[in-house]
Amino acid sequence: MLKIVVCVKAVPDPKEAHKIKIDPVTKTLIRSSVPLVLNLIDKNAMEAALQLKEQLDAHITVLSMGPPPAGNIVKECLALGADRGYLLADQAFGGADAYATAYTLAKGIEQIGAYDVILCGMASSDGSTEWVGPEIATFLKIPVVTRVKELVEYDGQWWKVKADVENGYRLVQVKLPAVFTVTRELNTPRTLSFSGIIKARKKEITSWGINQLGVPEETVGQKGSPTIVSNLAAIESKREVEIITGTREEKAERLVQKLADTGVI
Amino acid sequence: MQKQTGPVWVIAEQIDCQVLAVSLQLIGQARKLAMELETSVEVVLLGDQLDEQTRQLFAAGADKVYLGNAPELALYQPEMYVEIITKLAKERRPEIMLIGSTSMGCELAPLVAARLATGLTAHCIDLVLDENKILENKIPAYGGLMSIICPDKRPQMATIASGVFPTPHPDDSRTGEIVPLEVPDDIPGLIQTLQVVREEPEGVSLESAPIVVAGGAGAGDLEGWRKIADLSQVLNAALGSTRPAVDAGWTELETMIGQSGKIVSPKLYIGVGLSGELQHMVGVVGAKVMVAINSDAKSPVFEQVDYGIVDDCREFIPTLIEKIKAYQEKLVTC
Ligand SMILES: Cc1cc2nc3c(=O)[nH]c(=O)nc-3n(C[C@H](O)[C@H](O)[C@H](O)COP(=O)(O)OP(=O)(O)OC[C@H]3O[C@@H](n4cnc5c(N)ncnc54)[C@H](O)[C@@H]3O)c2cc1C
Ligand SMILES: Nc1ncnc2c1ncn2[C@@H]1O[C@H](COP(=O)(O)O)[C@@H](O)[C@H]1O
């Protein structure tokens, strides 16, 4: 049986994320209550797992590190068809950079047990580093392929996959266990079904803190992060806008004239 | 006695033996940082049948080039590349390591950083030294600029997109030392790149286009997106995008402009149906003339451009295209 772990992240809803701003005076973040949602591309990672389960004999575990409300996205993945859910939630995990996040997730994966394929999204919408997948692989001492856009073939030991590169692809052969980070091109995620939601009610989510992981406090969260934010600065635009007014026709006419005058068209 | 600061490193990249522009740009910036730190610039270049390329690296500002030149290294091979770079970094103890945020760089950088147990900052738009000579990695966030530092661990690592720093003017009188690298023979062999297939990109290239039309979430749907694409076509412009347009599947990741995408500096930039989020706008700050078309008069995009049109882009664009065509015809006839 193919044992799959899907790492999913709860991110501020991208539709409302712009509400989080820097206060130009205090240089701190003005946080409005932006709801947490499942990182968009992680749905593609989840879909890849579900398709593998349909084709092969597979077991899907979902794993997320985040505050307690992140449990909702784990639940969402259970409703999509995952078999088990784990949430790594602890004050001590807070303020983690990609390195500490990957370390904590890797420890969680080790604790969960045997694994063959670990799936991540290519990037999260808020961190957007792309680092978490490859760093998990390094901590687990297994290979990784990032930006996977096609799973070509599997012979029971080796996968052949296509990874996205500038204007083309890289054909990679990799031995399991391995980490794949996936792109949007890989598949089209399914939507939640009513029967899935009902079934998920019976599935449990295991929540682990630092004690269950058995890691020293200085290796996780902000303390375990090599990088820190040292400054936040507001920036001002140097351009002064001229709003072109009139009827639709006039606006178009005037804009073309302006652009012609400045010599750019 | 004061300890000598470790070198500033650049991991250069080549495709078919052509050194990428971003590698030269990073060497140029590394030179500046190295002058302030009173240290040297060292470049790692891996590939096969490389020779003349080292001169280009020296001319851009390298003092020393570590050259891996072997058939096994022709294509990016993660295990070998990571092994070579981490082993050498442990010996040479670089203070800073810069990597281009290409598809290879974005995989290689975290693999090297995790192996060296150090910090890595993604997609920086500026690199400066603070008063303690610590590298400040600037990234746009929350409508402002965030500085990220890696105070204790070394090297301080960062990835940077092409176009963030200018390509240095080559100084052909510069020379340096070439240190050949061995191919490691103790890699696990769990992963191999078999082949890399690249196609000629279609349409006008974003980086070199004099006019860029970028579309965002405001396109609404694929039909709306096509109108924006039509506008780019009549202007013979390159078509760029924001993250939501890519996520919606209207366009490819290659067209995304911004912090984690392409950096462009056209004569004219027209942003259609996009809100002016900094992560996108940092990709176009170099544009000469900027226009925004947005249905919301209060959109922050209007604070960042020269000309603004408040209108529904799906209605406005067809009219604009007509007027542009009329202007173009006039140009031809007179
Ligand atoms: C670390 C990080 C890196 C990122 N990197 C990038 C990057 O490189 N590039 C990038 O683009 N994004 C990037 N993002 C995402 C970025 O923060 C924004 O989410 C994104 O740029 C917003 O895209 P948008 O303006 O198209 O969408 P929105 O912010 O949703 O704006 C849509 C706009 O369209 C307008 N509109 C709606 N309907 C119409 C209509 N009919 N006609 C005209 N206007 C209309 C609305 O008024 C609104 O202003 C990154 C985010 C993070 C956290
Ligand atoms: N806190 C987290 N919990 C679970 N998975 C995560 C977390 N952070 C990042 N990931 C995974 O790593 C991917 C890349 O994230 P990032 O490195 O932040 O761009 C995401 O798409 C997730 O699959």
Side-chain angles (χ1 to χ4, degrees):
Chain A
M1 181 160 66
L2 199 66
K3 288 178 273 328
I4 306 172
V5 178
V6 187
C7 294
V8 296
K9 184 176 184 185
V11 297
D13 188 342
K15 289 192 203 75
E16 298 188 34
H18 60 270
K19 287 188 189 156
I20 311 174
K21 284 270 179 246
I22 296 175
D23 183 320
V25 184
T26 62
K27 295 194 175 147
T28 51
L29 288 185
I30 308 169
R31 286 187 188 276
S32 326
S33 54
V34 177
L36 292 175
V37 298
L38 177 58
N39 181 41
L40 194 63
I41 210 159
D42 295 354
K43 292 187 184 172
N44 297 84
M46 207 32 233
E47 179 62 31
L50 293 168
Q51 288 185 9
L52 287 175
K53 190 175 168 172
E54 282 160 6
Q55 291 154 17
L56 314 157
D57 184 22
H59 180 273
I60 305 174
T61 303
V62 206
L63 174 65
S64 186
M65 181 188 93
N72 288 335
I73 66 149
V74 177
K75 229 174 261 166
E76 185 177 336
C77 293
L78 289 174
L80 281 167
D83 301 295
R84 269 217 77 135
Y86 290 86
L87 178 67
L88 308 180
D90 198 308
Q91 293 275 337
F93 300 153
D97 70 0
Y99 182 89
T101 302
Y103 179 78
T104 312
L105 290 169
K107 287 294 158 189
I109 293 168
E110 279 174 350
Q111 190 93 310
I112 290 167
Y115 50 84
D116 300 300
V117 179
I118 297 168
L119 293 166
C120 287
M122 168 182 146
S124 61
S125 71
D126 60 343
S128 207
T129 65
E130 300 188 36
W131 303 160
V132 171
E135 295 201 331
I136 289 176
T138 306
F139 289 123
L140 296 175
K141 298 194 168 65
I142 58 174
V144 61
V145 188
T146 57
R147 303 191 182 186
V148 171
K149 61 176 177 182
E150 194 185 323
L151 296 168
V152 183
E153 61 183 48
Y154 175 52
D155 70 3
Q157 260 203 323
W158 291 78
W159 266 106
K160 246 185 218 157
V161 303
K162 283 184 184 172
D164 198 28
V165 300
E166 292 77 9
N167 304 313
Y169 66 87
R170 186 163 67 92
L171 186 65
V172 189
Q173 169 177 288
V174 59
K175 190 162 190 263
L176 297 191
V179 176
F180 296 140
T181 81
V182 311
T183 65
R184 186 188 46 76
E185 280 168 85
L186 183 64
N187 53 42
T188 309
R190 68 194 66 188
T191 45
L192 279 176
S193 71
F194 184 67
S195 66
I197 296 170
I198 298 292
K199 271 191 223 147
R201 284 199 186 139
K202 286 199 228 86
K203 299 178 189 167
E204 54 172 322
I205 297 179
T206 310
S207 192
W208 283 341
I210 186 160
N211 292 334
Q212 282 83 10
L213 286 194
V215 291
E217 208 167 312
E218 62 276 10
T219 60
V220 296
Q222 192 155 21
K223 288 188 188 150
S225 299
T227 60
I228 54 168
V229 175
S230 67
N231 193 23
L232 284 174
I235 42 177
E236 280 146 46
S237 172
K238 292 177 215 83
R239 292 179 199 258
E240 211 158 316
V241 70
E242 177 184 342
I243 300 286
I244 297 169
T245 54
T247 64
R248 186 163 282 150
E249 290 270 323
E250 285 164 356
K251 285 190 285 192
E253 183 91 51
R254 286 173 191 156
L255 178 61
V256 172
Q257 194 55 50
K258 296 272 184 202
L259 297 179
D261 291 347
T262 52
V264 291
I265 59 168
Chain B
M1 197 186 79
Q2 217 195 331
K3 213 174 102 232
Q4 163 78 31
T5 307
V8 178
W9 266 26
V10 174
I11 308 300
E13 183 177 351
Q14 50 80 29
I15 293 178
D16 298 333
C17 293
Q18 291 272 346
V19 175
L20 301 190
V22 66
S23 302
L24 301 175
Q25 293 159 6
L26 294 185
I27 294 171
Q29 183 63 14
R31 180 87 246 135
K32 287 191 191 157
L33 296 169
M35 300 241 272
E36 272 190 70
L37 291 169
E38 296 175 31
T39 186
S40 57
V41 175
E42 301 186 350
V43 177
V44 179
L45 179 66
L46 306 176
D48 186 28
Q49 312 211 336
L50 301 170
D51 175 22
E52 285 301 292
Q53 292 79 1
T54 53
R55 272 210 275 171
Q56 236 183 321
L57 304 177
F58 292 128
D63 297 307
K64 195 188 259 190
V65 174
Y66 293 98
L67 188 67
N69 213 359
E72 299 93 311
L73 301 175
L75 299 176
Y76 162 55
Q77 298 292 354
E79 287 178 342
M80 251 186 272
Y81 276 43
V82 171
E83 181 61 30
I84 291 175
I85 294 167
T86 51
K87 187 158 165 257
L88 194 61
K90 283 179 185 163
E91 281 167 32
R92 291 292 305 155
R93 303 190 164 275
E95 181 70 8
I96 292 172
M97 192 189 295
L98 307 179
I99 304 181
S101 43
T102 58
S103 61
M104 176 187 104
C106 287
E107 180 173 298
L108 192 56
L111 291 175
V112 170
R115 280 275 295 272
L116 297 175
T118 191
L120 168 64
T121 311
H123 313 309
C124 303
I125 60 156
D126 202 7
L127 299 169
V128 296
L129 296 168
D130 72 6
E131 62 280 9
N132 302 318
K133 302 258 162 105
I134 289 187
L135 186 68
E136 263 191 62
N137 304 285
K138 309 251 184 195
I139 62 164
Y142 313 112
L145 267 192
M146 188 151 92
S147 300
I148 296 183
I149 59 170
C150 176
D152 305 319
K153 300 286 175 59
R154 293 293 176 271
Q156 307 165 81
M157 292 182 60
T159 61
I160 300 97
S162 181
V164 169
F165 297 113
T167 305
H169 192 73
D171 175 355
D172 292 320
S173 67
R174 285 186 54 94
T175 56
E177 187 190 347
I178 300 173
V179 181
L181 294 171
E182 299 279 313
V183 176
D185 50 14
D186 51 354
I187 53 147
L190 302 173
I191 180 165
Q192 289 98 34
T193 297
L194 302 174
Q195 194 186 14
V196 176
V197 178
R198 294 182 201 266
E199 282 154 25
E200 277 302 308
E202 26 179 296
V204 190
S205 117
L206 268 173
E207 285 99 328
S208 58
I211 304 180
V212 170
V213 173
D221 54 22
L222 193 58
E223 194 196 331
W225 179 261
R226 293 221 172 94
K227 290 185 181 160
I228 302 176
D230 290 345
L231 176 62
S232 79
Q233 222 163 27
V234 279
L235 288 168
N236 197 20
L239 182 61
S241 66
T242 63
R243 165 74 56 74
V246 176
D247 285 345
W250 302 330
T251 179
E252 297 295 320
L253 183 63
E254 269 89 16
T255 68
M256 188 168 81
I257 294 176
Q259 185 197 357
S260 24
K262 298 254 160 77
I263 311 277
V264 299
S265 39
K267 278 193 304 177
L268 171 63
Y269 163 87
I270 305 181
V272 186
L274 49 85
S275 62
E277 278 285 337
L278 215 60
Q279 282 98 1
H280 174 73
M281 299 310 277
V282 292
V284 292
V285 282
K288 195 168 154 239
V289 176
M290 292 178 73
V291 178
I293 303 171
N294 195 303
S295 53
D296 176 7
K298 291 207 272 308
S299 170
V301 74
F302 291 126
E303 290 158 27
Q304 307 171 62
V305 296
D306 305 293
Y307 299 107
I309 300 276
V310 182
D311 205 346
D312 181 341
C313 63
R314 303 156 58 101
E315 305 286 336
F316 180 72
I317 287 178
T319 313
L320 182 60
I321 288 177
E322 264 173 49
K323 300 291 173 195
I324 292 168
K325 282 190 178 152
Y327 167 75
Q328 287 168 337
E329 273 160 31
K330 213 170 68 198
L331 273 188
V332 178
T333 49
C334 53

